[in-house]
Amino acid sequence: MASSEQPCYTLINFNMDVEPPNEMTLKNDIENGDTKTRTESLKKLIYMILNGEKMPGLLMSVIRFLLPMTDHTIKKLLLIFWEIVPKTHPDGKLLQEMILVCDAYRKDLQHPNEFIRGSTLRFLCKLKEPELLEPLMPAIRLCLEHRHSYVRRNAVMAIFTIYKNFDFLIPDAPELIHTFLEQEQDASCKRNAFMMLIHVDQDRALDYLSTCIDQITSFGDILQLVIVELVYKVCHANPSERARFIRCIYNLLQSSSPAVRYEAAGTLVTLSSAPTAIKAAASCYIDLIIKESDNNVKLIVLDRLVSLREDPAHEKVLQELVMDILRVLSSSDLEVRRKTLDLAMDLVSSRNVEEMVLVLKKEVSKTHNVGEHEDTGKYRQLLVRTLHSCSVKFPDVAAQVIPLLMEFLSDTNELAAADVLVFVREAIQRFDQLKPLIVTKLLEVFASIRTVRIHRAALWILGEYCTTSDEIQSLMNEIRNSLGEIPIVDDEMRKAAGEDTEEESIVISSQKRQLTEMGTYATQSALSSAAPKKEVETRPPLRGFLMDGDFFVGASLATVLTKLALRFIGLNTNVKRQNTFLAESMLIMATVIHLGKSGLAKNNITDDDLDRIAMCLRVLAERHSLMSEIFTHDCRNSLQTLILTKQAEEKEQQKGLDKKLVSVQADDPINFLQLMAKADNGGTEDQLTMSLSLATMGTTGKKDLHDISASKLSKVTQLTGFSDPVYAEAYININQYDIVLDVLVVNQTADTLQACSLELATLGDLKLVEKPQPITLAPHDFCNIKANVKVASTENGIIFGNIVYDVSGAANDRNVVVLNDIHIDIMDYIVPATCTDQEFRSMWAEFEWENKVTVNTNITDLHGYLKHVLKSTNMRCLTPEKAISGECGFMAANLYARSIFGEDALANVSIEKPASATPETPVTGHIRIRAKSQGMALSLGDKINLSQKKDAGSKS
């Protein structure tokens, strides 16, 4: 089997639009050109070799004319050239010319310039031919004694690489490096030497560490990081060594380097689960978050704290650090603050909830003192939600929180005020003892509310929970003040006609002396009239909303007045007072209707609002017992049902989170560490290896191995036909931002295929990283070619291309086999996500790209079609299950997903099946998709269309 696997070379971008020079031109420039011309020719030669061209005729020219030169630029370029140029014959034997190259680099290793020595040593790390390295070993050993640290540290790395690949060339390397380490003073040299001993001879590394364990705090950070790695590896392989080195890790928690402290804290957590160790590591993490300025680092370290909290044994330790965690709120980044508040909310207990509330109240007051900014409003909303959660979880602190939160109602930021009202509505329903306090505070701030939505919601809460005669009268006074003088239409017309303006004032200007034509003096006075300047009139809040044409608040006011009137009649036995209250309530409703039809407001009243107010008038006029029961009791029962349903949903979600926290059951067998296989105990797995595996493969754990091998078959795409001279198929592996194509190429002919190359191109937001190298295929041979593609955004992409080859011994032109297109599915980048209804509506209004897809399927069930769409698009249904349950002939649901690039995708499903339709009638309707980018909206619509057709085809 031929193999296309090549060593990993330095990649250099090459502009493919330029015509490449031929071999004769390059040879002439190298042999006869000046230094600048030779430099450019060598660059072009490197470009061409990297892109698969073979230039064997230029090898001797480079050796004869470029290798003896002393120019540093050419020497650097030659290091790249010798790294990538083929050094062996097709049969694997070393080229004779390479002996000359080896001699030249032996001289460079003895060069007086330290840069040339060091860069040559770095180049030797990349050589894979022991025949070339063997003559250089004495010179490499001598470099360990060079006066300059740059040469010494690169010599250590060269010895490390050579010993790892070809230990027979320098069998005494561990002993040599251990002696070097004991005598070395430079930090970078010590780090490289120590790292080599870790990987090739841990016993010698431990011996050295034991001699200087008390001095590690004075070492440089690069050496400290390697020490942390050694301690982790040793303690993982041999747990009995933990007691010996745990103090070393504790000392490194006090290092001046943030990176060392971070790694030391992570190592300490994996090596010890003692409360003191967990507390020390968590304190170190918190300190790093506070002192580090990079928000990405803050988020990464916060994630480590969150993962610590997921272990039940660590949760109690972290609960003592809640106040320290809240110090992270000093960060200005909203995402950091959100994660911090979520973590603090998970850890808060009855012992420290009061202190946490005090801190949050201070944070709330700080948001009032800074300039209004988008993030300030969102942060205020986060604080309100956290205080809400605190009050629900610990009712004792609700009395402290409510007065503070009420101040938000007069805020111009509608987000925070709306969350306050949601909290107030739940608190007043659940905690009877807080009802008088809430009603009193809400009445105090009612007049200062300036947002129609908040005003309407506050009005509803007061109308529902003002139950005493005094509270009802107080609310009625607030409504009168908020409406101004009634009837509204008459009052507005009077003001418009100017009946209440002041009379014009007469002003006599001051006398001025004038000179007449005759030369005498005279005095002149002027009589002028001036109308007084009208002051800018501010309407009361409720009247202002109505004049702006928002009559929904008028319908809400009518409902509130109806509740108040019916409740007042039940409380008060005085018929005259009853009739007075009823008449005033009905007058207010009538004047709202009159205003809505008068044309004075910006918009006329809608039919729905008109019907609602008219119904309330009729209820008050007739006062039927059934309607009284609905208004006074059933409304509150509906709210109670809503709150209980929401609590049940939250409990279900919490159950799902708590399931993973169950660690050991009472009847589980006892696991003895010494008797267990390492794979059976997650705590003994090497975390470094696991994290590397997770980064490269995207999964860990042996239970997934069967799934991986099974899923590979579903991701294989056939690129050519079975009768083509070259058969090809590709396995597509998508790992977040990268797509790796593993293409199997099979030579189905009896000829040798030379310069067989895979040529690919992309359509969409995809980019080919590098051109695959040409290969030679023997008769009926096969090989694998890998190609990497970068993904930049969430949209469907297409990869197309062909296989080009020459037949050995044939005189005809190159042969081409055209490949089938590879379609990259958008679903590989989209994951289900959640957001609140308010955020969904905000994004729906903000996103400008919409794609409307008509439902065209043979699915006959509404719920079945919705499940099919959710499965096909990886979206999550935001509409609660109870809202879409039952059979009523139509369904509307909101869907939401987010891509791995942070792009949001919204969808609204509106489908129906008329009651008169037969059971075989398919679902009809449409799906509206909205996204910030056009590509995502179109790609998601195409996916839905394709999945509909596929389903219909499979069932027909």
Side-chain angles (χ1 to χ4, degrees):
M1 184 184 98
S3 175
S4 66
E5 198 69 30
Q6 298 287 332
C8 181
Y9 295 138
T10 305
L11 294 179
I12 303 175
N13 183 43
F14 179 54
N15 189 0
M16 302 297 291
D17 299 333
V18 181
E19 183 69 25
N22 57 39
E23 190 170 342
M24 290 304 298
T25 305
L26 286 175
K27 186 173 182 178
N28 184 54
D29 289 343
I30 289 173
E31 293 181 357
N32 304 316
D34 57 7
T35 302
K36 186 175 181 182
T37 305
R38 289 177 172 181
T39 303
E40 291 301 318
S41 300
L42 185 53
K43 284 183 180 179
K44 291 175 183 177
L45 181 58
I46 292 171
Y47 289 149
M48 295 173 72
I49 293 177
L50 280 174
N51 284 277
E53 300 292 338
K54 307 293 184 185
M55 296 284 183
L58 292 177
L59 190 58
M60 278 309 296
S61 297
V62 172
I63 293 173
R64 288 176 57 203
F65 296 97
L66 297 184
L67 203 55
M69 293 185 67
T70 58
D71 183 74
H72 282 199
T73 304
I74 287 183
K75 280 195 171 292
K76 284 193 284 186
L77 289 173
L78 281 173
L79 294 176
I80 300 173
F81 175 77
W82 294 121
E83 179 188 348
I84 65 174
V85 74
K87 304 172 188 65
T88 57
H89 291 289
D91 59 0
K93 291 184 179 179
L94 192 70
L95 292 172
Q96 296 296 323
E97 295 89 338
M98 298 310 295
I99 297 174
L100 300 173
V101 178
C102 182
D103 185 61
Y105 279 112
R106 185 179 57 80
K107 293 177 181 177
D108 280 347
L109 288 175
Q110 298 168 351
H111 200 283
N113 185 297
E114 62 271 7
F115 170 76
I116 292 177
R117 278 203 190 196
S119 56
T120 306
L121 287 163
R122 292 182 64 183
F123 159 71
L124 295 180
C125 294
K126 302 173 185 177
L127 283 186
K128 304 298 180 186
E129 291 78 20
E131 300 92 338
L132 286 175
L133 292 168
E134 188 173 7
L136 303 175
M137 294 313 301
I140 295 174
R141 283 174 174 268
L142 286 175
C143 287
L144 286 176
E145 301 171 6
H146 194 271
R147 59 180 175 79
H148 203 283
S149 61
Y150 178 70
V151 177
R152 297 198 303 274
R153 70 167 174 260
N154 282 300
V156 172
M157 291 309 297
I159 291 174
F160 177 26
T161 310
I162 294 168
Y163 181 79
K164 190 167 59 173
N165 296 327
F166 317 105
D167 56 352
F168 58 88
L169 292 178
I170 181 166
D172 61 337
E175 184 181 353
L176 178 68
I177 295 301
H178 185 256
T179 306
F180 169 82
L181 181 59
E182 289 178 336
Q183 299 169 355
E184 184 58 50
Q185 298 299 321
D186 182 73
S188 60
C189 297
K190 291 169 73 174
R191 179 256 181 197
N192 287 0
F194 194 74
M195 186 178 67
M196 174 182 168
L197 291 179
I198 288 174
H199 290 90
V200 301
D201 194 340
Q202 281 193 4
D203 292 337
R204 291 183 187 274
L206 288 175
D207 289 342
Y208 173 75
L209 181 59
S210 300
T211 60
C212 59
I213 197 166
D214 295 326
Q215 305 165 17
I216 58 171
T217 52
S218 61
F219 290 168
D221 55 347
I222 54 176
L223 184 55
Q224 288 178 341
L225 282 172
V226 183
I227 290 174
V228 172
E229 182 184 349
L230 171 67
V231 171
Y232 178 82
K233 284 180 176 294
V234 170
C235 295
H236 173 263
N238 189 3
S240 61
E241 295 281 353
R242 291 183 182 183
R244 179 181 172 191
F245 293 107
I246 202 83
R247 185 169 60 88
C248 172
I249 297 297
Y250 269 109
N251 292 338
L252 289 176
L253 288 178
Q254 310 302 323
S255 171
S256 58
S257 167
V260 175
R261 297 172 64 198
Y262 175 77
E263 293 296 337
T267 302
L268 185 61
V269 169
T270 57
L271 297 183
S272 173
S273 57
T276 51
I278 301 303
K279 187 172 183 179
S283 300
C284 180
Y285 282 145
I286 295 168
D287 196 49
L288 282 173
I289 299 170
I290 295 170
K291 293 182 178 178
E292 187 58 46
S293 58
D294 190 340
N295 289 326
N296 292 321
V297 175
K298 290 177 184 282
L299 291 171
I300 291 170
V301 182
L302 265 174
D303 286 337
R304 297 300 295 265
L305 278 175
V306 172
S307 62
L308 272 181
R309 179 255 159 197
E310 290 174 355
D311 191 329
H314 301 162
E315 190 169 0
K316 289 184 178 179
V317 178
L318 291 175
Q319 284 178 352
E320 300 174 6
L321 300 173
V322 169
M323 302 313 297
D324 292 326
I325 292 173
L326 288 175
R327 290 164 55 202
V328 181
L329 292 176
S330 57
S331 170
S332 59
D333 184 69
L334 186 65
E335 189 61 30
V336 173
R337 287 170 161 175
R338 178 184 284 112
K339 279 196 172 186
T340 304
L341 288 173
D342 289 343
L343 177 61
M345 197 59 235
D346 290 336
L347 294 173
V348 68
S349 63
S350 55
R351 289 178 298 172
N352 51 23
V353 64
E354 292 187 1
E355 296 177 8
M356 179 173 168
V357 167
L358 288 174
V359 172
L360 295 179
K361 286 169 75 173
K362 287 181 181 177
E363 288 295 317
V364 168
S365 61
K366 287 179 187 176
T367 61
H368 287 293
N369 301 329
V370 297
E372 198 62 36
H373 186 266
E374 182 184 1
D375 281 353
T376 306
K378 289 181 179 178
Y379 179 46
R380 209 173 295 170
Q381 186 183 17
L382 285 176
L383 291 171
V384 170
R385 288 181 179 177
T386 308
L387 286 168
H388 176 186
S389 302
C390 281
S391 302
V392 172
K393 198 172 180 181
F394 306 99
D396 294 341
V397 300
Q400 304 174 36
V401 173
I402 288 170
L404 173 71
L405 294 185
M406 288 296 186
E407 298 175 7
F408 281 101
L409 296 179
S410 58
D411 196 21
T412 54
N413 178 28
E414 198 172 290
L415 297 174
D419 281 339
V420 170
L421 283 177
V422 169
F423 163 58
V424 166
R425 185 184 67 184
E426 185 174 348
I428 202 171
Q429 175 68 23
R430 292 180 61 178
F431 310 126
D432 290 335
Q433 71 275 15
L434 297 177
K435 189 177 82 68
L437 172 66
I438 294 175
V439 170
T440 303
K441 289 290 180 183
L442 202 52
L443 285 170
E444 287 178 6
V445 300
F446 185 76
S448 60
I449 298 175
R450 291 291 178 268
T451 312
V452 61
R453 182 172 165 229
I454 307 305
H455 200 286
R456 186 175 67 238
L459 194 61
W460 186 92
I461 292 173
L462 285 170
E464 186 62 48
Y465 292 97
C466 286
T467 52
T468 65
S469 182
D470 291 339
E471 290 173 348
I472 292 172
Q473 289 289 2
S474 300
L475 178 56
M476 200 62 180
N477 289 334
E478 292 294 339
I479 293 173
R480 289 192 200 102
N481 296 334
S482 189
L483 275 175
E485 189 175 345
I486 53 174
I488 299 174
V489 174
D490 295 346
D491 187 47
E492 288 294 326
M493 300 217 19
R494 278 199 307 273
K495 290 179 179 177
E499 291 179 2
D500 55 348
T501 58
E502 298 178 7
E503 293 182 359
E504 292 182 347
S505 58
I506 299 174
V507 179
I508 300 177
S509 65
S510 57
Q511 296 181 351
K512 296 181 180 179
R513 298 185 69 183
Q514 301 283 340
L515 186 65
T516 64
E517 295 177 357
M518 298 175 64
T520 59
Y521 287 99
T523 57
Q524 179 182 3
S525 10
L527 181 67
S528 61
S529 64
K533 295 179 181 178
K534 283 190 177 181
E535 295 181 0
V536 178
E537 186 179 358
T538 57
R539 294 190 178 97
L542 196 49
R543 179 180 289 200
F545 301 146
L546 294 171
M547 292 299 293
D548 288 337
D550 192 338
F551 284 95
F552 184 41
V553 71
S556 179
L557 174 63
T559 305
V560 170
L561 289 172
T562 305
K563 291 178 184 178
L564 293 178
L566 293 175
R567 209 170 283 133
F568 188 82
I569 292 172
L571 293 172
N572 207 310
T573 56
N574 190 324
V575 178
K576 183 177 180 182
R577 294 187 64 187
Q578 290 179 2
N579 291 337
T580 303
F581 196 96
L582 277 173
E584 186 175 6
S585 301
M586 296 172 78
L587 174 61
I588 292 173
M589 296 184 210
T591 192
V592 171
I593 294 176
H594 187 197
L595 176 63
K597 290 183 169 292
S598 65
L600 289 177
K602 290 182 180 178
N603 301 312
N604 287 335
I605 190 169
T606 62
D607 291 340
D608 289 340
D609 295 334
L610 181 62
D611 291 345
R612 180 72 173 177
I613 299 173
M615 183 199 71
C616 291
L617 280 168
R618 184 174 178 183
V619 168
L620 288 183
E622 296 177 356
R623 280 180 270 171
H624 195 280
S625 59
L626 175 62
M627 299 305 295
S628 298
E629 181 69 20
I630 291 172
F631 272 87
T632 55
H633 294 94
D634 290 355
C635 289
R636 191 174 300 184
N637 293 339
S638 298
L639 174 61
Q640 178 70 14
T641 305
L642 172 69
I643 292 174
L644 291 175
T645 304
K646 190 176 178 183
Q647 288 176 1
E649 290 177 359
E650 290 175 354
K651 283 182 180 178
E652 283 296 321
Q653 292 178 358
Q654 195 62 35
K655 277 184 184 177
L657 294 174
D658 290 342
K659 281 179 184 176
K660 63 183 179 183
L661 298 180
V662 178
S663 52
V664 180
Q665 298 294 342
D667 56 349
D668 283 352
I670 298 174
N671 293 325
F672 293 94
L673 186 65
Q674 290 79 1
L675 304 178
M676 290 177 63
K678 288 186 178 181
D680 296 331
N681 186 6
T684 63
E685 292 181 13
D686 192 334
Q687 300 296 319
L688 297 175
T689 307
M690 284 177 60
S691 60
L692 181 62
S693 172
L694 188 63
T696 54
M697 297 176 58
T699 183
T700 57
K702 61 180 182 181
K703 65 180 180 181
D704 296 330
L705 293 178
H706 176 72
D707 298 334
I708 293 172
S709 58
S711 64
K712 277 189 175 183
L713 297 176
S714 64
K715 293 186 178 181
V716 172
T717 304
Q718 186 176 338
L719 302 180
T720 64
F722 292 112
S723 60
D724 285 321
V726 177
Y727 172 76
E729 63 183 24
Y731 165 61
I732 306 167
N733 182 24
I734 296 176
N735 184 16
Q736 288 202 342
Y737 309 109
D738 297 315
I739 299 174
V740 179
L741 299 180
D742 191 352
V743 183
L744 172 67
V745 180
V746 182
N747 179 7
Q748 301 194 109
T749 68
D751 301 315
T752 299
L753 306 184
Q754 294 181 335
C756 181
S757 61
L758 177 67
E759 297 182 350
L760 297 174
T762 58
L763 188 66
D765 215 345
L766 305 173
K767 183 181 179 183
L768 192 66
V769 176
E770 59 179 311
K771 181 180 177 182
Q773 298 287 334
I775 57 169
T776 300
L777 280 176
H780 303 291
D781 199 359
F782 63 94
C783 73
N784 287 75
I785 301 176
K786 290 187 178 180
N788 292 312
V789 178
K790 282 284 183 186
V791 186
S793 67
T794 312
E795 61 179 89
N796 289 333
I798 299 174
I799 302 173
F800 57 94
N802 47 51
I803 292 176
V804 184
Y805 61 91
D806 292 328
V807 178
S808 179
N812 58 349
D813 294 333
R814 300 202 77 184
N815 299 279
V816 178
V817 178
V818 180
L819 306 178
N820 293 330
D821 295 345
I822 301 173
H823 292 268
I824 304 302
D825 195 353
I826 187 178
M827 290 304 104
D828 292 314
Y829 315 125
I830 289 183
V831 292
T834 57
C835 66
T836 64
D837 291 343
Q838 187 175 353
E839 290 169 344
F840 184 92
R841 285 193 292 268
S842 173
M843 287 188 287
W844 187 269
E846 178 187 346
F847 293 170
E848 54 185 2
W849 292 104
E850 179 174 312
N851 187 10
K852 188 173 181 180
V853 179
T854 303
V855 173
N856 180 19
T857 184
N858 68 337
I859 300 177
T860 57
D861 180 58
L862 295 175
H863 292 88
Y865 181 78
L866 178 62
K867 289 178 181 177
H868 174 69
V869 170
L870 293 175
K871 183 179 179 182
S872 304
T873 59
N874 278 358
M875 302 189 86
R876 175 168 287 156
C877 181
L878 299 181
T879 307
E881 183 64 30
K882 293 190 177 181
I884 55 177
S885 59
E887 297 292 338
C888 59
F890 68 91
M891 179 187 291
N894 292 333
L895 315 182
Y896 177 62
R898 180 175 292 158
S899 75
I900 61 173
F901 304 100
E903 300 169 304
D904 299 297
L906 314 175
N908 174 259
V909 179
S910 299
I911 50 179
E912 64 176 344
K913 185 178 179 182
S916 58
T918 61
E920 292 78 20
T921 304
V923 171
T924 59
H926 59 266
I927 301 172
R928 294 167 65 194
I929 302 162
R930 287 201 181 184
K932 213 165 195 175
S933 62
Q934 182 185 20
M936 190 166 186
L938 293 176
S939 299
L940 208 51
D942 292 343
K943 180 65 182 175
I944 292 174
N945 272 325
L946 288 172
S947 63
Q948 289 185 134
K949 293 173 185 175
K950 182 178 178 182
D951 190 85
S954 63
K955 292 196 175 189
S956 57

